[in-house]
Amino acid sequence: MRRTLGPERFDLRSESEPAAQMTVPMKTRILILNGFLGSGKTTLFRNLLTQATRKAIPVCAIVNDMSELDIDGALISNTPSIDQDSRLFESIHACVLSSTQGLKKLDEALNRLLAAEQPELIIIETSGSAHPMPLVQYFEQHDRTRLIGVLAFVDSLMLAQDFDFGETLIPKLQQNLAQGRRDMINLLVEQILFSSHVMLTKADRIGDGQIETIAQHLHAINPYAPAYSIHFGNLPLESVFEFEDYDYFRVAQLVEELTPALAAEGDDERPFNLATRVIKDDRPFHPQRLWDACHQYLDQRIYRSKGFFWMASRDKHSLLWNQAAGGISLGLVGTWRASVVEDEDPGITPQEVAILKERLAKAPGRFGDRHCNLTVIGDEDQVDSFTDALRGCFLSEEEIERYRSGETFDDPWPQNIVKLRN
């Protein structure tokens, strides 16, 4: 019998799928959100945590961001249930969760969560470059938890643009195998192979009927994992509690085959020729130059860039930069404190304005609390050119003087920006 998990489901499991294993109710459920960079893991993560808050279900969260800025951790910690109780949340950043260092930090984080709370579920979001196999092996041996799902998030738009709706994914993997090469294609396929469920995101951005084509191609990779099309992280939390225990037996041969390859890669915190760059600056971006740089320098070798920033044309609000593959979205995070005190009618008392001014006087930047913190992740041969292009988009000292004198700057970016909801 099929269960409805979301708005649209493509059940691709083979009729020969193994029967459900016996569960151990006393163990804490673990759900792993795994998948390629920018595939929508954080969006669904926040949605699940919000549902848990509304329904008073004890859920804990662990987020892994290999960047030192920990952008995903900042977004998750801003979710109401986490913001109200820090004991429910652990952030592991500046490393890949599937590495030796990452697994050690994971073990410490789990021990802290389980000592402080008795959650019904712990949700773990991995970084996009995390390989699922070490995590599967870790939880197979963990005696206080039971793994109920490894969700592989797949960006439908990226698959459509870069792999002809999934048709060329296997041929490109076969080419890698023939040449003895391991890159992001291997990682993407292996994330699907180890998954218990495949989550197809951004289906609204590809042609009608194409999501079924993608689902069929992924079925050829993993016939045991049902594929779901989810929109904006819309997944009922109740359906997660219906998941069966992860089937370790099904991936046993896969583990045996991949162990030498993963061992040969060593304990690399930047696997698959990935490189990470960090941009920190107090200056605003010139909106037109930023637009031009993205159109000129952003290509498929820049897998992910994300962070918080501001533009000279929009200095009131803190914006979220969110780029995956060839798509960029801007989100409205909040209002800068500096813009509040600069407002003629700030909407707060004079005493509160005085407190804000006192805090802003201690801020390190020239523009109060306004700042830009971005992480760029991409192919080692391409990441510097895009990062340098972004750095060239900050206002020059001459432009800063004109900005402070009230000059406006051309802004080609969409005027309607989505406000992030908790």
Side-chain angles (χ1 to χ4, degrees):
M1 181 177 70
R2 296 187 179 187
R3 295 192 300 271
T4 301
L5 186 61
E8 193 173 359
R9 172 179 175 180
F10 309 97
D11 196 340
L12 304 177
R13 286 179 293 183
S14 168
E15 294 296 330
S16 61
E17 183 174 1
Q21 300 177 354
M22 295 294 291
T23 61
V24 183
M26 296 302 294
K27 293 185 177 182
T28 299
R29 297 177 181 88
I30 299 291
L31 179 68
I32 296 176
L33 311 184
N34 185 230
F36 201 62
L37 297 153
S39 56
K41 299 184 295 294
T42 303
T43 301
L44 183 136
F45 202 169
R46 287 168 57 88
N47 187 301
L48 291 177
L49 292 175
T50 299
Q51 292 181 61
T53 302
R54 292 171 180 167
K55 298 170 184 177
I57 299 174
V59 173
C60 291
I62 297 176
V63 64
N64 172 221
D65 192 332
M66 73 176 188
S67 168
E68 65 184 71
L69 294 181
D70 193 22
I71 303 299
D72 290 342
L75 290 173
I76 295 298
S77 64
N78 194 40
T79 305
S81 60
I82 301 303
D83 185 48
Q84 294 167 11
D85 192 343
S86 60
R87 296 176 303 169
L88 304 176
F89 174 68
E90 290 283 340
S91 177
I92 300 171
H93 56 280
C95 68
V96 177
L97 199 59
S98 52
S99 66
T100 300
Q101 180 186 3
L103 289 173
K104 181 180 179 181
K105 290 185 176 182
L106 172 62
D107 194 65
E108 295 169 350
L110 278 174
N111 288 335
R112 284 192 294 268
L113 290 176
L114 293 172
E117 298 292 326
Q118 292 183 331
E120 292 190 27
L121 174 69
I122 297 177
I123 307 175
I124 301 172
E125 179 192 356
T126 71
S127 67
S129 59
H131 198 288
M133 192 179 90
L135 296 172
V136 168
Q137 292 176 301
Y138 171 85
F139 282 107
E140 187 176 14
Q141 303 299 322
H142 202 278
D143 58 2
R144 299 178 62 189
T145 62
R146 60 186 181 97
L147 184 60
I148 63 168
V150 178
L151 277 54
F153 287 71
V154 178
D155 183 334
S156 299
L157 180 62
M158 180 271 290
L159 215 63
Q161 294 175 341
D162 297 344
F163 299 99
D164 195 16
F165 298 94
E167 183 176 356
T168 62
L169 190 55
I170 292 298
K172 288 185 177 181
L173 174 67
Q174 292 171 335
Q175 184 177 8
N176 274 5
L177 294 175
Q179 298 176 355
R181 182 176 67 236
R182 286 184 59 80
D183 58 21
M184 300 305 291
I185 294 174
N186 298 72
L187 176 61
L188 177 58
V189 172
E190 288 161 16
Q191 287 175 339
I192 296 169
L193 284 169
F194 277 95
S195 69
S196 60
H197 307 75
V198 175
M199 300 296 174
L200 301 175
T201 61
K202 306 179 187 177
D204 58 308
R205 299 178 63 183
I206 63 175
D208 293 340
Q210 297 293 350
I211 194 67
E212 292 91 343
T213 301
I214 290 176
Q216 290 295 334
H217 287 304
L218 299 188
H219 172 61
I221 298 174
N222 185 350
Y224 297 107
Y228 305 97
S229 174
I230 59 173
H231 304 275
F232 305 107
N234 184 20
L235 176 68
L237 181 61
E238 292 86 350
S239 63
V240 172
F241 287 94
E242 297 178 4
F243 288 176
E244 301 167 353
D245 283 4
Y246 186 82
D247 187 354
Y248 296 103
F249 178 77
R250 180 177 64 80
V251 298
Q253 183 176 350
L254 183 59
V255 169
E256 183 177 349
E257 292 174 355
L258 286 177
T259 294
L262 266 64
E265 292 171 2
D267 196 31
D268 191 356
E269 293 292 347
R270 296 289 183 269
F272 306 104
N273 202 39
L274 277 180
T276 301
R277 300 291 183 264
V278 172
I279 300 174
K280 293 184 179 182
D281 208 295
D282 66 341
R283 294 173 295 169
F285 280 120
H286 187 294
Q288 184 66 60
R289 280 208 300 274
L290 183 62
W291 176 272
D292 294 340
C294 290
H295 283 78
Q296 183 176 354
Y297 292 94
L298 181 60
D299 67 16
Q300 64 182 17
R301 291 173 294 174
I302 302 299
Y303 304 116
R304 190 80 165 100
S305 57
K306 54 187 176 179
F308 306 105
F309 74 108
W310 66 297
M311 290 191 288
S313 55
R314 311 185 193 197
D315 57 4
K316 182 176 181 180
H317 296 114
S318 171
L319 302 175
L320 174 68
W321 173 276
N322 192 357
Q323 172 266 322
I328 299 174
S329 63
L330 306 184
L332 181 60
V333 181
T335 302
W336 297 115
R337 291 173 177 170
S339 70
V340 174
V341 300
E342 292 166 1
D343 198 321
E344 294 181 0
D345 183 15
I348 58 177
T349 67
Q351 291 80 8
E352 290 172 324
V353 171
I355 292 174
L356 281 183
K357 287 183 176 180
E358 184 178 344
R359 291 180 179 177
L360 291 171
K362 300 176 183 178
R366 292 173 288 176
F367 305 94
D369 58 333
R370 297 182 180 103
H371 64 275
C372 294
N373 282 354
L374 297 176
T375 293
V376 180
I377 305 171
D379 188 279
E380 193 168 23
D381 298 327
Q382 177 67 13
V383 69
D384 284 329
S385 62
F386 183 60
T387 304
D388 291 343
L390 290 180
R391 289 196 176 106
C393 296
F394 289 116
L395 294 193
S396 66
E397 294 303 317
E398 178 186 353
E399 288 169 331
I400 288 175
E401 291 301 318
R402 287 154 45 194
Y403 161 75
R404 284 175 164 163
S405 298
E407 180 174 330
T408 59
F409 296 84
D410 291 338
D411 184 345
W413 293 88
Q415 293 302 307
N416 295 325
I417 296 180
V418 176
K419 180 179 173 69
L420 297 182
R421 295 180 179 178
N422 292 325

